[in-house]
Amino acid sequence: MSRTLVIGTGYVGLVSGACMADFGNRVTCYDIAQDKIDTLNRGEVSFYEPGLEDLVRRNVDAGRLSFSSDLVESVESAVAIFIAVGTPEREDGSADLDAVFSVARDIGRNLKGYKIVVQKSTVPVGTTRRVGEIMREEAGPDADFDLVSNPEFLREGSAINDFMRPNRVVLGFDGDRAREVVKEIYRPLYLNETPVLATSLETAEMVKYASNAFLAAKISFINEVAEFCEKVGADVQVVARGMGMDQRIGSKFLHAGAGFGGSCFPKDTQALLHMGTESGVKMGLVRAAIEANERQPLRAVEKMLRLSGGSVDGLRIAVLGLSFKPNTDDVRDAAALKIIEGLEKAGATVCAFDPVASKNARLAKPDLELADSLFGCIEGADGLVIATEWNEFRVLDLEKVARLMANPRVVDCRNIYRRKQMESLGFAYASFGREQDES
């Protein structure tokens, strides 16, 4: 199997490297941060992803996966080099490509012999070709390499399955020599007849942004429909079910709630909007999706205000869930943190609990009061916001919750419970798009 180097040991880099090693490839994951390499060499993973730590250890033990902070040796020994570094959002919405271009310069300086350089990071259209230009500037006009764009479509919380059993693999090529090597790296997927889209560098880059922006637009659309449902007495969950039965629409991502967050949708929609604007394209639908999403956490705050008689000043509010979705510790652009900020601005004191994401939430908001347990968070609260649909929040002992709370008011941002059930237990209850539900 191919000798593969993955540059970057963050979410995309480590998941990709471990999965490619599990395919049978010999993979080295490189990072400039020695502390990250030391952590990985101890068999520890610095972020939460179900199954990843076991996958890493298994492939390290099998001799297929290793970690290094020696870039010169790592580049020299690799056939294929995957760039998987961060591209965070700048203040203007554009992608920060400093790390990508820095890696390109480093590869160029150490280039010896033929290499395949695969862009795995999410980058604006044209970036992979610019990476090649930078490499040639460093290595000289006779540098021998091919470029590949291979965007990732990993969902936090199910990333291993997404890599091992993807809906599709997108590969943008700038030459024919790389095809067979990349096919060998992904051999198990070819054997499983996974759909593979082979196209140009620019088209592959655009597929990633277009896919994420479309999914984000579906979420924002159903959230706007949910607000309308509240006005007319319809049930958005039934509406979404009816929409999803149409195969042209599908049921995925039609779940009303407090909005999307995480490392991809907010960043990628902003980047696509910025790219379109720079190219003279208005991207009105993408802009509308972003604006609609920004309203959703504020709607959760408004619902708690309404349940509390118009004011939460001086009240203690419990928030369950801090990660932007279950099965991850990622709190980037999480609705929960925006809801907490809105409640605090309205005068409330907030206590929060999350089974996994508390550490990252503390880093994002140092003054956040965190409870050690779910019921410790709820006890004495004047209101409860369910912000993330962790499984343990789906099966709450509601009678106990009602007894522990000073005032049993619940804003259910993920539509987990039903109004009739909650009101029978004495709760004042609000959800999204089901204000009149009776089922």
Side-chain angles (χ1 to χ4, degrees), residues 348-426:
T349 299
V350 177
C351 179
F353 171 78
D354 189 286
V356 169
S358 293
K359 180 180 177 181
N360 285 341
R362 174 78 75 194
L363 292 174
K365 185 175 172 53
D367 62 343
L368 179 61
E369 181 184 344
L370 294 169
D372 294 329
S373 68
L374 186 158
F375 290 115
C377 181
I378 292 171
E379 186 171 11
D382 298 294
L384 169 63
V385 177
I386 304 175
T388 312
E389 63 275 34
W390 285 94
N391 282 338
E392 63 190 275
F393 302 158
R394 294 179 178 274
V395 290
L396 291 173
D397 182 340
L398 294 173
E399 292 183 358
K400 182 176 180 179
V401 171
R403 288 197 307 270
L404 287 175
M405 293 183 68
N407 291 288
R409 308 174 181 123
V410 174
V411 174
D412 183 355
C413 295
R414 303 302 173 184
N415 289 352
I416 296 171
Y417 296 101
R418 307 300 298 187
R419 172 179 300 282
K420 190 173 182 180
Q421 172 194 23
M422 298 298 285
E423 290 183 345
S424 70
L425 293 170

Side-chain angles (χ1 to χ4, degrees), residues 169-304:
V169 175
V170 177
L171 295 167
F173 291 103
D174 187 36
D176 293 329
R177 282 189 299 174
R179 293 175 186 259
E180 286 305 312
V181 174
V182 173
K183 184 176 181 180
E184 184 66 14
I185 291 172
Y186 286 127
R187 185 170 180 268
L189 300 184
Y190 279 85
L191 292 175
N192 290 337
E193 298 184 346
T194 300
V196 177
L197 175 64
T199 183
S200 67
L201 297 178
E202 289 79 7
T203 302
E205 291 168 333
M206 181 60 86
V207 168
K208 172 61 186 283
Y209 281 105
S211 297
N212 279 357
F214 182 76
L215 294 175
K218 286 187 75 172
I219 296 171
S220 287
F221 176 82
I222 200 64
N223 279 332
E224 289 200 333
V225 170
E227 187 171 6
F228 190 24
C229 285
E230 293 172 12
K231 302 293 185 182
V232 299
D235 186 330
V236 72
Q237 288 184 312
V238 180
V239 171
R241 197 177 309 138
M243 292 172 60
M245 290 175 180
D246 188 329
Q247 293 183 0
R248 297 169 302 172
I249 299 173
S251 60
K252 301 288 181 66
F253 289 85
L254 290 178
H255 302 289
F260 59 78
S263 63
C264 292
F265 286 5
K267 177 173 72 74
D268 291 353
T269 51
Q270 289 285 357
L272 183 59
L273 176 61
H274 183 270
M275 286 187 286
T277 303
E278 290 283 294
S279 300
V281 180
K282 292 184 178 179
M283 306 300 289
L285 184 59
V286 177
R287 186 186 300 276
I290 294 169
E291 292 173 352
N293 191 63
E294 289 172 347
R295 290 196 298 271
Q296 291 308 109
L298 300 179
R299 293 193 64 224
V301 175
E302 290 166 1
K303 289 174 183 291
M304 182 55 74

Side-chain angles (χ1 to χ4, degrees), residues 102-124:
S102 177
V103 167
R105 286 189 287 272
D106 288 339
I107 295 172
R109 294 187 194 107
N110 295 285
L111 203 61
K112 295 179 182 177
Y114 174 69
K115 305 291 180 184
I116 298 166
V117 178
V118 184
Q119 182 61 259
K120 198 74 174 168
S121 302
T122 300
V123 294

Side-chain angles (χ1 to χ4, degrees), residues 326-342:
N327 296 321
T328 179
D329 61 354
D330 194 342
V331 300
R332 285 174 286 184
D333 279 297
L337 295 182
K338 297 174 184 177
I339 293 169
I340 290 169
E341 181 180 354

